[in-house]
Each structure stands twice: as structure tokens, then as C-alpha cells.
Amino acid sequence: MHIHAYEKLWLAFAVILILLLIGSVTYGAVGPGVAMVADSEDQIDPGALDEDERFAEPRVEQVGDNHYAAYVIAYQFAFEPSPIVVPENSRVTLYVTSRDVIHGFEVAGTNANTMVVPGEVSEITVEVGEPQEYGLLCNEYCGAGHHGMEGKVHVVSEEEYANLNEGGETA
Amino acid sequence: MSRTETARTSVDDAGGDDEFDPVGTLALIAVYFAILVLAWVYIYYIEFLGRDLVVVG
């Protein structure tokens, strides 16, 4: 079979393009460590979050060296806790669940974005940098008050975080 | 008409590309390719990886 030289050229272009796409996704996974939201968490009873040790009291707690866990409940029409306060330059794992309907959990303008399904726990780990305030919003239509469903994520300095925690414990 | 095509085919079969060089098509594909590569670099490396709070686990 005879193939024109130009046609060979653009076949090669197409293969290069596919390799570029696969290569950059591979780079993203290996270099910056981009991961997907997995279904690794067990199911829970959305009607009994009050009895769940993680979600009875939505909070942020330290779980390792510079590693924090945030247990967040989404409900019509807010997030709890709000604001979610975490210290700067740390690794934060967010465990988010819903006690009523499907919600979204999107830290506005960032890649931290997941669905929140009643009965399921969405787990995403992110690395936060300098002190900053992020908006948090629901991006799945969840009812009449959906448009007002928002929260905050505050990344604060380590001193401020320590002060807040001391205040919380003594209070 | 059919004789001409037959003639051309036979020339191509012999390995000659002299009569049919779609330079315009080649240029168009090159431009598409450049746009695709630039758009991909922008979307993935700048817009996606450049944003805060990359999900790492």
C-alpha cells in the first residue's frame, strides 16, 4: 500500500499528540502527585451521624506530623464546621459526608472538589500553603437554598492555629 | 476523467508524489496541531496544575 509522505507526517503528528496527552497525565500523577477521589471509605448511616465518632462532632484534628484531618458534614444548606480552620503549609485530609441529599464540596477556585453523597464519605487530601481564606460552595443542586449554601476554609498561621485550639480547649 | 485518475493512481503506485502535494492541507493540519498542543499545555499545566490545593490523595 502506498501512503503519501504528507499523510505519514500527520499520522505521526496524531501519535505524538496522543503520547503528549498520556505523558502529561502520567507526569501529573508521578510529579505533583495528582490523585482521584477514591471510594476507599466505608459506607456510613447518614441518619446516625450523631453517633459516628468522626462526624458526631465535625472538626479539624491533628492526625500526624503536620497532617490534619477535617471531618465535615454538608447539609441543607450549609457546611459544618464553618470555617474549616487549618494551619499553613500542612497536609489536610478532608472527610466529607452528607446527612440529607447529594451536595457538592468545592473549595472555590481550586482543585479541591468532590461530590458529597449521603451514606458515603468523600476523602480528599490536599496540601495547603500560605495563610489564606478560601470560599467553599456546594456545586450540586440540593434544594431551594442551594444558592446560599457556602462555607469557608481558613488557612491560618501556626501561631494563630495554636491560639485557636488553646482557646477552644479551655473554653 | 477516469483515464486520468487511473493514470495518476498508477504513478502513485510507482512511488511518485510529484503530482499531488496538498501543501495547504498540510499547513492547516500543522496549525490545528499547534493549537491543540498550546491549548493542552495551557489547560493542563497552567490552569489545572497551577491552581491551589491539588488533590494528592
Side-chain angles (χ1 to χ4, degrees), chain A residues 2 4 24 35 110-111 125 134, chain B residues 20 40 45 48 52 55-57:
Chain A
H2 174 68
H4 194 285
S24 49
T110 75
N111 292 340
T125 299
Y134 295 101
Chain B
F20 181 60
W40 177 255
Y45 291 95
F48 178 62
D52 275 354
V55 174
V56 294

Side-chain angles (χ1 to χ4, degrees), chain A residues 106-138:
Chain A
E106 177 179 353
V107 184
T110 75
N111 292 340
N113 184 352
T114 180
M115 278 179 83
V116 184
V117 181
E120 303 281 350
V121 178
S122 303
E123 180 207 343
I124 54 175
T125 299
V126 297
E127 276 164 354
V128 299
E130 299 298 306
Q132 197 174 340
E133 282 190 16
Y134 295 101
L136 174 62
L137 56 85
C138 172

